[in-house]
Amino acid sequence: MANRKSQEYPVIWLQTATCTGCSVSVLNTVSPNIKTVLVDEVIPSKHVNLVFQATVMAGAGELVIHAMEDTWHKKKGGYVLVVEGAIPTLGKGQYGSIGEDKDGKPIAIASRVEAMGRDALAVIALGTCASFGGIPAAQPNPTKCVSVAQLFKSKNVATPLINLPGCPPHPDWFVSTVASVLIGGLPKASDLDELLRPKAFYGHLIHENCPRRAYYDEQKFAKKLSDPGCLYELGCKGPVTHADCATRMWNHGTNWCVASGGMCIGCASEGFPDWVSPLYQKTADVKLPNIAQKVV
Ligand code: FSX
Ligand code: SF4
Ligand code: SF4
């Protein structure tokens, strides 16, 4: 347990238009495990206080909404807001709301994220939906979903924002980001790329570190997913997706998409899912070294 002198970092985690896959992924963190992250001192003398997270908190209803709003008002400028999911901007809460106003009317997700984002120390957009819109914002986008960055831009919210895409994101990407904020404060501008992703995790293309890269360079392409060979002609999105899955791997280093005989569908890319669809079709409009003359 965190000791009394430990410095507390309140975290409010809002789930918006999401499948909850981001929560499930982060809860599966192995090292450190989720108990250490949430209950113990993940960094000596500093600990996270997860005030609101609908999937894991024991309470419900007014009690938890009150706890959330209490933290928002009393810790203004001192809490971290995590947003999981895209933000529906159509309607007045019909497509997603959190709590009610004093007249009993639902408070729309978009106004919650805007107001609580404005007062936060920093905002983490967890997952592709929060970072770029993702599946809820895919065409025809019936609820006019936007990313956190798009919402903040339209509402002039200037709070520091970190995007951690991935559908779902790797638990390490979240846990390490939180740990690095506890250790060294907010990331410097040079720690993030132009899409506000930490370069430590998203600094390279999947394709740069893929164990099948030698096949690609030799133009030995798989004809079906279970074949050895590069999966590019079957639709692999590794050449257009920035993430470290090939070296970090998933499930505590057990395996990852390409090594398991599947391919990268580009779940962490800024264009997922519209831009990388059809998933199982070659990305023919990308010019790649040593390949364009043969397959494009
Ligand atoms: Fe789901 Fe998160 Fe995908 Fe989106 O992940 S895993 S649809 S990124 O908001 O819960
Ligand atoms: Fe690996 Fe896909 Fe690149 Fe082929 S196209 S080398 S399978 S990342
Ligand atoms: Fe997503 Fe590609 Fe990583 Fe698989 S390899 S988790 S599809 S970014």
Side-chain angles (χ1 to χ4, degrees):
M1 287 286 280
N3 70 54
R4 277 197 199 155
K5 289 197 185 127
S6 181
Q7 190 181 350
E8 176 181 297
Y9 286 78
V11 174
I12 299 173
W13 182 317
L14 298 183
Q15 289 161 311
T16 55
T18 167
C19 77
T20 316
C22 305
S23 292
V24 173
S25 183
V26 169
L27 290 170
N28 277 329
T29 177
V30 174
S31 179
N33 65 28
I34 195 66
K35 174 183 162 288
T36 306
V37 175
L38 297 182
V39 180
D40 300 335
E41 290 177 340
V42 62
I43 300 299
S45 76
K46 293 181 179 180
H47 72 275
V48 164
N49 177 12
L50 186 59
V51 178
F52 185 93
Q53 212 285 3
T55 304
V56 298
M57 63 194 174
E62 267 178 46
L63 187 71
V64 293
I65 295 291
H66 179 74
M68 177 186 82
E69 290 181 338
D70 201 48
T71 301
W72 170 26
H73 296 307
K74 290 191 181 146
K75 307 276 178 175
K76 202 170 167 179
Y79 63 87
V80 174
L81 181 71
V82 177
V83 180
E84 171 188 1
I87 298 125
T89 58
L90 196 68
K92 294 187 174 137
Q94 296 95 319
Y95 305 109
S97 59
I98 301 171
E100 296 171 343
D101 64 17
K102 52 184 181 329
D103 301 322
K105 296 226 174 67
I107 298 178
I109 278 171
S111 70
R112 282 286 193 203
V113 174
E114 179 196 342
M116 294 171 71
R118 201 182 292 280
D119 291 341
L121 168 71
V123 179
I124 296 178
L126 180 64
T128 298
C129 303
S131 300
F132 305 128
I135 290 171
Q139 289 303 323
N141 194 0
T143 61
K144 299 272 177 289
C145 272
V146 297
S147 66
V148 175
Q150 286 169 318
L151 181 82
F152 281 8
K153 192 170 176 209
S154 69
K155 303 289 181 186
N156 291 319
V157 176
T159 308
L161 173 65
I162 305 168
N163 283 331
L164 300 177
C167 189
H170 195 294
D172 290 2
W173 301 340
F174 178 76
V175 173
S176 303
T177 297
V178 170
S180 74
V181 170
L182 296 189
I183 294 169
L186 296 175
K188 297 190 288 295
S190 58
D191 296 332
L192 305 178
D193 68 10
E194 70 285 0
L195 296 176
L196 304 179
R197 302 171 293 192
K199 289 177 187 167
F201 312 123
Y202 302 93
H204 296 275
L205 291 166
I206 299 274
H207 185 66
E208 287 176 65
N209 294 307
C210 179
R212 299 196 189 207
R213 179 57 189 264
Y215 289 126
Y216 165 85
D217 288 339
E218 293 295 318
Q219 303 198 359
K220 290 181 178 158
F221 297 108
K223 295 278 181 281
K224 58 181 188 315
L225 287 178
S226 55
D227 285 349
C230 169
L231 301 165
Y232 178 70
E233 291 201 334
L234 297 173
C236 182
K237 305 299 184 282
V240 293
T241 304
H242 288 86
D244 64 4
C245 307
T247 47
R248 185 174 302 280
M249 303 205 283
W250 282 73
N251 299 323
H252 200 43
T254 306
N255 210 345
W256 70 291
C257 305
V258 169
S260 68
M263 57 176 203
C264 173
I265 60 169
C267 85
S269 84
E270 57 274 36
F272 182 80
D274 284 349
W275 181 55
V276 292
S277 293
L279 300 179
Y280 291 91
Q281 227 172 70
K282 187 175 63 182
T283 315
D285 54 350
V286 177
K287 290 258 187 280
L288 295 167
N290 306 329
I291 197 170
Q293 64 277 26
K294 185 177 177 217
V295 296
V296 175

